Amino acid sequence: MPFPLLTSRTELSRWCTEIRASGRPLHVVPTMGALHRGHQELIRRAARGGGSGSPAVLVSVFVNPLQFGAGEDFERYPRDLTADAGLAAAAGADALFAPNAEEIYPGGAAALTRIQPPAQLQASLCGRQRPGHFEGVATVVARLLALVRPDRLLLGEKDWQQLVILRRVVADLALPVTVQGCGTVREPDGLACSSRNRYLSPVERQRAAMLPVALARAGELYRSGERQAAPLLEAVRAPLEAVGLTVEYGELVEPHGLQPLRQASSFCLLAVAARCGSSRLIDHTFLMSRPPIVAIDGPAGAGKSTVTRAFAQRLGLLYLDTGAMYRALTWWVQRQGLDLSSLPDLAPQLQLLDLQLSLAEDGSQRVKLDGQDVTEAIRSPEVTALVSQVAAQPCVRNVLTRQQQALGRRGGLVAEGRDIGTAVFPDAELKVFLTATPAERARRRALDLEQRGFAVPPLAELEAQIAERDHLDSTRAVAPLLQAEDAVALVTDGLTIEAVIQRLVDLFRERVPEDAWPAPAEPLQD
């Protein structure tokens, strides 16, 4: 079957209708053509899906006149539709949409309703240098989304300001599409892939390779302790000018609000635009003082442990099962035959307990207490019935909170529990309150008990136990179960485990881009 090349809105509408009728998700990769390896990686990522089956991938090619200013390269922007179709098909696209301006803007630019992104997101970086550019980008992408109505929009993180602005436009207009950013693809010498790289002469191409080198030097300076913006920016500017590049801007900004910073924070963006010959090149680096932390809170039975473990593995983060830590201490209390009132007197002994979390070869987590594997024992109904009361003891929470925070100083972890975002890691990059209705949680608890070989009480009894535990957890004096003010609520009723994991990944990537924290490489398929 020939690769579909769609040039009109009618052809596009017919193709999209067929895709929706097939039940496949629809993912779109918008481009201006002159495709390269970076675009192909976006297409491959789009074809892999987002937790919802095998998607159809549409690539658009449209050199948008609205995003070019006077004196820019609209007329000479490289155009080769035949080559683009071949590269798109080879990367896994299902069709290519290549309209002319009349198809996208049938009434002409003068009659067009335009999208105006927030001024504060355009006040720095390329927005200041290219007035009207992001209005043109937002307008054409909104138009494309209206025509295609995709499930997922894939954009490169190389154009970071564009990604931030389009995410905001989608959110503000409540458009039913997930925006997915994908890490910058680079040439072997580190230069970011760009359609405009083909403008470079061999000599200019060699000079342009200083861009990633200079940014890497600034990153090294940051990691050595430098926090003032001026020295960090000078570390980029000086080597670029030394090889003959003209620096248009170098800025240190907050990554999501894009507001300028005089001093580097724990997570910030250092971006640069420079001219090399006739080419305008942009690049950036993210500066992070530690790897990211994700805090996932929620009531018992919401599925936190199951999805958090898989989520952590997918993003290359350590899984810290704080619930298992509290269960292990509860098991120890039961084994010692202790009364809860005696626990404050045992605080020194609690601190000496050797509590270890580790991963087995099959990827499951094992829990050891003083050398004894208690992984299965801590899931018993007896432990479940007592754990909230033990966890409410100040001495227990103090001991385990200190252990958890010590691990958190290194970063790079996902922790789940009851008060992770409010008490343990209040500065986590992402906080999620994962929950489900009591009826759904009772159903899951019954299934878990059955699979572990325990007796299963009636669902009504389990639901009552869950409601009582919720009450205890949310009303205890020390670190009660509360949703952090800046946490995202995620209700998991009716969602598959994979759908919940994908939603967590999407939330994480809205805050921590792949350029800052790349995901582990996926294993090669046979």
Side-chain angles (χ1 to χ4, degrees), residues 210-234:
M210 181 54 69
L211 266 172
V213 174
L215 288 166
R217 290 178 182 174
E220 292 170 2
L221 190 60
Y222 174 85
R223 287 187 291 275
S224 71
E226 181 59 66
R227 291 295 182 269
Q228 295 301 313
L232 292 169
L233 294 172
E234 180 63 16

Side-chain angles (χ1 to χ4, degrees), residues 170-462:
V170 165
D172 286 353
L173 299 181
L175 301 179
V177 62
T178 298
V179 180
Q180 177 179 340
C182 299
T184 302
V185 177
R186 298 182 178 275
E187 302 291 354
D189 62 0
L191 183 66
C193 291
S194 170
S195 299
R196 290 184 168 97
N197 288 352
R198 63 186 67 191
Y199 294 158
L200 299 169
S201 69
V203 172
E204 291 168 345
R205 175 63 181 79
Q206 189 173 13
R207 292 173 180 168
M210 181 54 69
L211 266 172
V213 174
L215 288 166
R217 290 178 182 174
E220 292 170 2
L221 190 60
Y222 174 85
R223 287 187 291 275
S224 71
E226 181 59 66
R227 291 295 182 269
Q228 295 301 313
L232 292 169
L233 294 172
E234 180 63 16
V236 176
R237 184 195 63 80
L240 295 181
E241 292 184 346
V243 298
L245 274 65
T246 301
V247 177
E248 191 174 277
Y249 70 74
E251 294 188 50
L252 185 71
V253 300
E254 190 279 322
H256 303 292
L258 305 181
Q259 299 305 298
L261 300 171
R262 292 184 179 180
Q263 184 169 322
S265 59
S266 59
F267 181 42
C268 51
L269 173 77
L270 197 162
V272 63
R275 291 197 175 273
C276 185
S278 64
S279 300
R280 181 181 185 274
L281 306 175
I282 62 172
D283 205 347
H284 64 254
T285 187
F286 288 96
L287 306 177
M288 297 179 69
S289 60
R290 59 154 175 75
I293 293 175
V294 178
I296 300 180
D297 288 311
K304 298 189 303 294
S305 297
T306 301
V307 299
T308 301
R309 186 180 295 109
F311 167 71
Q313 184 177 23
R314 189 166 299 184
L315 290 172
L317 298 167
L318 172 69
Y319 169 54
L320 181 61
D321 185 353
T322 60
M325 298 172 76
Y326 282 106
R327 283 176 172 272
L329 282 189
T330 301
W331 175 87
W332 180 81
V333 167
Q334 289 182 324
R335 287 292 297 266
Q336 302 300 313
L338 299 174
D339 185 86
L340 294 183
S341 62
S342 67
L343 287 181
D345 298 329
L346 297 175
Q349 186 175 350
L350 292 176
Q351 293 178 18
L352 295 176
L353 291 175
D354 182 18
L355 179 57
Q356 299 288 334
L357 304 179
S358 62
L359 288 178
E361 291 184 0
D362 63 358
S364 63
Q365 182 173 259
R366 310 303 298 177
V367 184
K368 288 187 177 181
L369 188 61
D370 287 339
Q372 181 178 349
D373 191 319
V374 296
T375 305
E376 294 300 325
I378 65 174
R379 299 295 173 182
S380 71
E382 292 77 18
V383 169
T384 298
L386 188 62
V387 65
S388 288
Q389 298 175 59
V390 172
Q393 301 300 309
C395 60
V396 172
R397 301 204 70 80
N398 289 338
V399 167
L400 291 187
T401 296
R402 282 197 295 270
Q403 288 189 19
Q404 294 156 13
Q405 290 175 333
L407 289 170
R409 281 193 286 272
R410 297 195 299 268
L413 59 83
V414 181
E416 58 92 359
R418 306 287 189 276
D419 62 345
I420 304 302
T422 54
V424 183
F425 299 126
D427 59 345
E429 277 69 28
L430 170 63
K431 301 176 189 177
V432 177
F433 193 80
L434 194 74
T435 188
T437 60
E440 174 64 15
R441 288 152 56 202
R443 185 190 67 80
R444 294 174 184 175
R445 180 62 178 159
L447 182 61
D448 180 66
L449 289 171
E450 183 180 4
Q451 291 175 340
R452 294 177 183 275
F454 296 113
V456 181
L459 286 177
E461 182 178 334
L462 286 174

Side-chain angles (χ1 to χ4, degrees), residues 47-196:
R48 287 206 292 266
S52 54
S54 175
V57 179
L58 175 71
V59 176
S60 68
V61 171
F62 179 62
V63 183
N64 177 30
L66 297 187
Q67 65 192 71
F68 288 82
E72 293 189 346
D73 57 344
F74 174 71
E75 294 298 337
R76 73 180 186 117
Y77 194 86
R79 295 165 170 85
D80 189 340
L81 192 55
T82 300
D84 288 343
L87 288 170
D94 291 271
L96 189 142
F97 177 46
N100 58 28
E102 288 72 26
E103 288 289 336
I104 296 295
Y105 310 129
L112 183 65
T113 298
R114 298 176 185 247
I115 303 297
Q116 179 64 59
Q120 66 179 14
L121 296 182
Q122 303 182 72
S124 61
L125 309 179
C126 291
R128 184 192 301 120
Q129 304 295 328
R130 306 181 68 187
H133 170 72
F134 289 114
E135 178 184 318
V137 170
T139 298
V140 74
V141 171
R143 176 71 170 148
L144 179 66
L145 294 177
L147 292 172
V148 178
R149 290 181 291 146
D151 299 286
R152 192 168 285 261
L153 170 70
L154 286 94
L155 302 166
E157 290 178 356
K158 173 184 171 291
D159 299 298
W160 179 254
Q161 187 173 23
Q162 172 178 282
L163 175 56
V164 168
I165 286 174
L166 290 177
R167 275 187 170 139
R168 179 64 175 273
V169 167
V170 165
D172 286 353
L173 299 181
L175 301 179
V177 62
T178 298
V179 180
Q180 177 179 340
C182 299
T184 302
V185 177
R186 298 182 178 275
E187 302 291 354
D189 62 0
L191 183 66
C193 291
S194 170
S195 299
R196 290 184 168 97

